[in-house]
Amino acid sequence: MAELAPRERYKLVVSTVVPRPIAWVTTVDRAGVVNAAPYSFFNAMGDDPPLLVLGLMKDGATGGDKDTATNIFATGEFVVNLVCEADAGRMVETSAPVPRGQSEVDYAGLTTAPSSRVKPPRIATAPVSFECVRREMLEIGPGQVIAVGEIVVAHVADAFVTDPQRLHLDTAAMGLIARMHGADTYLRSTDRFHLARPAFDPARLGPGDQSR
């Protein structure tokens, strides 16, 4: 990998680490402008505390932070909204190079809802939204920032809550989408299969392995 240019490494990673969930991140700048941007370098990284991690690439032309990283550095708050298929078109619209200081929420015609604990609003049509506070911002390499956020409030639309007491959700009904390889390629979550996690069978190990 050290022999490749960053763009070539990027192509290898995004063509193989799939499918990737999409974080539709809302932030607010110091002037109160709401930013919305999708990121697929994203995942959950723990439950105690509950952590989400974002890989935020820098501006290729200037080398500076884009709006999302700038706002998280400045305010320490962000919201991760998960993307359903019905929102796919509006999500992609927020990836357009909207000038700094202008709102992608207005540009894409998004409806927002107030958050409970953080200033950035939620995207009202998202099946799930996580209000987050910054735990770490890691600048590793010249072209990227890793944001580690702690979830302080989770919102799940009522339609997808099947048992509030046991926290059972109808995840399949959310219609969440993911990012695939190549430009402009996404994946629905409708094709699933099940594999039961097996119990350990010591008989499958040889005599020399059982003592380890």
Side-chain angles (χ1 to χ4, degrees):
M1 294 292 271
E3 297 174 359
L4 300 177
R7 185 63 186 176
E8 294 172 322
R9 297 178 206 144
Y10 174 85
K11 288 180 180 179
L12 283 177
V13 171
V14 300
S15 295
T16 54
V17 182
V18 293
R20 300 187 307 281
I22 302 168
W24 203 4
V25 183
T26 44
T27 57
V28 175
D29 68 16
R30 291 194 183 277
V33 176
V34 180
N35 176 268
Y39 291 89
S40 66
F41 283 178
F42 155 66
N43 221 309
M45 291 293 161
D47 62 359
D48 189 17
L51 299 177
L52 298 179
V53 175
L54 305 173
L56 308 175
M57 310 302 286
K58 297 200 175 190
D59 188 308
T62 67
D65 290 320
K66 296 182 180 180
D67 287 343
T68 299
T70 297
N71 294 345
I72 296 174
F73 270 121
T75 70
E77 298 181 339
F78 60 99
V79 178
V80 169
N81 306 275
L82 301 186
V83 182
C84 63
E85 187 174 355
D87 279 336
R90 288 184 289 271
M91 177 271 295
V92 170
E93 287 182 0
T94 62
S95 69
V98 176
R100 179 159 289 191
Q102 303 297 314
S103 175
E104 290 84 357
V105 168
D106 295 337
Y107 178 78
L110 302 178
T111 301
T112 61
S115 295
S116 301
R117 295 271 300 277
V118 301
K119 188 172 181 179
R122 301 177 284 126
I123 295 174
T125 52
V128 180
S129 297
F130 297 110
E131 299 182 27
C132 298
V133 295
R134 182 190 65 223
R135 288 294 296 262
E136 298 285 348
M137 294 290 278
L138 308 173
E139 295 196 72
I140 302 176
Q144 59 195 18
V145 176
I146 297 172
V148 181
E150 179 177 348
I151 303 169
V152 293
V153 178
H155 300 265
V156 180
D158 290 345
F160 308 115
V161 180
T162 57
D163 189 329
Q165 282 67 44
R166 293 188 293 173
L167 296 179
H168 286 186
L169 308 179
D170 190 350
T171 304
M174 296 178 187
L176 299 176
I177 61 172
R179 188 69 190 271
M180 282 294 291
H181 64 286
D184 309 329
T185 306
Y186 295 85
L187 180 74
R188 297 182 178 91
S189 56
T190 51
D191 186 6
R192 297 177 295 274
F193 63 96
H194 297 271
L195 291 174
R197 182 178 298 185
F200 172 64
D201 180 3
R204 297 181 61 179
L205 295 177
D209 294 328
Q210 295 186 29
S211 62
R212 295 178 183 175

